[in-house]
Amino acid sequence: MPADFWQLVFLSGVIFLFISPHLPWRTPQSISSSVQEALHPVPENENAHLEWVRLVTAMVWPINFVGLVAYFTCFWTGTRPARRIILAVIIPSICILGLLGYKSVHLPQNSTSSIFATPTTVAGNHLGLLSSILHLPPALCFNILGLVLISVFTVQLLRGKSSLPLSLPDGPMRGNDETESWPQLKILIFVLVAPLYLLMNIISLPLLIPYLFSTHFQTSIYGSMASIVADVLSAALLVIIVLWTLGKAGKVEIHRSLQLPEPRHAFFAALVPVAVCFLIPAAEFLYDRVHWVEHGFGNIDAPIFSSYIDPTRIWDPMLLMLLVGAFAEEIVFRGVLLPRLLERYGLERGMLLTGLIWAAYHFRADAYSGLSVGGVLLRVGHRIVLCLAMNYVFAWMALRWRSIVPAGIAHGVWNILATSGVGGSSPWSSDFALVSWIVAALVLYRYWPLPNDENPEPEPLSASITSTS
């Protein structure tokens, strides 16, 4: 939580603005109606739709840039932060929204391609638009909400009611802004939560060129190979970013975090996500079993537990590549970021901040297709709570066993099980998974707490570097 409420308002607006290009640009109703348009195309609608797609595509990169500037201002304010926000964030956002609104209003009225139109309303209904902003497409709505929140904070900043950069409330802190490692850590966090996703997309873009321009490459084999290469490149980029920002200290921390654990620790780490994964279909089975006892006993067949598990995809060798990304994330977040945040903020704050940064790292990569504004908010909230719960489990493993290898195994096994669908495919599967990880974290810290008589944090970075010189 930032030092004051207005900083939290600003941070929320920055996040809304930054993820908005990745959100749906049409309402769920207009998306469903576009299916009917595809079956029965109308020339005017098709032209308007293509015009809108071109405009949105052209506006995505400016919005990305504005979001990057807003995130950058959270860390480095400059001499006039309010001026930077107004000139580089607020004014460009207003221009982009104005252009999108102008083009949308001037689309043909019989077209549902407009972001303002639903199957039963036309774009010219300005009063309905102003009175129901939350019914707008998620991308546009989050643009507007982000702009409003950032503007409100800027007013408070000009009035002297708030300040930048973002800071935490008073509490235990073992470092200060003048230490050599803190500026490097800020650069690393900024890259992880903001530009890294864009860099990954740029690096992976050449893999799509053959697929787009040649039918010869439009096969499942090429798609699978391209996905593997993209995952490897993304994992390598994560590690390269650490080495670039932290230099020799990053290399020392990576080497230290990768020491081999005892076999029993690795086995226990793999067992945790397996238990969490099978708790999900078990909970669904028990729920349906109770419902069957109440309403279907003697009339229909009883639920069978094996029908709640689909192990067909678990044998896909392509899933093993998920281990690469999992270990890369563990190297960065639990191997490098966690020790530095523990060294600066202490155990409780360091672990919490690591989980929040890990969640922010996933914001742009998550899928939001077909979601409403409320659905996007729930998806973001679910991501934050899930990453916090999983981070507490993985951090427990890394701190207790002095290695990120068990956490990497647990992370990789969970990715494989979740992607393969072993954990069930009901609408409640993600909620069961969230609760299961929270329970796992509570059990670990309740019955096997980190020892109080030993320092769970690694030795200071300076001592590690000196010992390896």
Side-chain angles (χ1 to χ4, degrees), residues 28-93:
Q29 294 87 351
S30 61
I31 291 175
S32 61
S33 69
S34 66
V35 176
Q36 299 298 326
E37 292 178 11
L39 296 175
H40 307 284
V42 179
E44 295 82 1
N45 289 355
E46 182 178 356
N47 293 333
H49 174 69
L50 291 176
E51 181 181 357
W52 177 249
V53 169
R54 294 191 193 101
L55 178 62
V56 169
T57 304
M59 291 295 102
V60 163
W61 282 104
I63 296 174
N64 283 327
F65 177 76
V66 170
L68 285 176
V69 173
Y71 253 130
F72 185 85
T73 308
C74 294
F75 295 85
W76 300 278
T77 60
T79 56
R80 297 180 178 179
R83 179 180 178 182
R84 173 182 293 178
I85 295 173
I86 294 173
L87 295 180
V89 178
I90 295 178
I91 292 179
S93 297

Side-chain angles (χ1 to χ4, degrees), residues 252-259 331 335 402-405:
V252 170
E253 291 174 74
I254 292 175
H255 180 267
R256 181 179 59 191
S257 66
L258 287 173
Q259 59 183 333
I331 288 174
R402 306 285 182 168
S403 171
I404 58 97
V405 174

Side-chain angles (χ1 to χ4, degrees), residues 111-125:
S111 168
T112 57
S113 298
S114 167
I115 58 170
F116 295 103
T118 66
T120 57
T121 60
V122 297
N125 189 357

Side-chain angles (χ1 to χ4, degrees), residues 200-214:
M200 289 180 176
N201 283 346
I202 293 174
I203 292 177
S204 303
L205 186 61
L207 299 175
L208 299 177
I209 295 177
Y211 183 82
L212 295 175
F213 294 96
S214 176

Side-chain angles (χ1 to χ4, degrees), residues 443-456:
V443 169
L444 289 176
Y445 285 90
R446 173 64 178 85
Y447 294 102
W448 296 280
L450 295 174
N452 294 325
D453 55 341
E454 298 180 9
N455 182 13

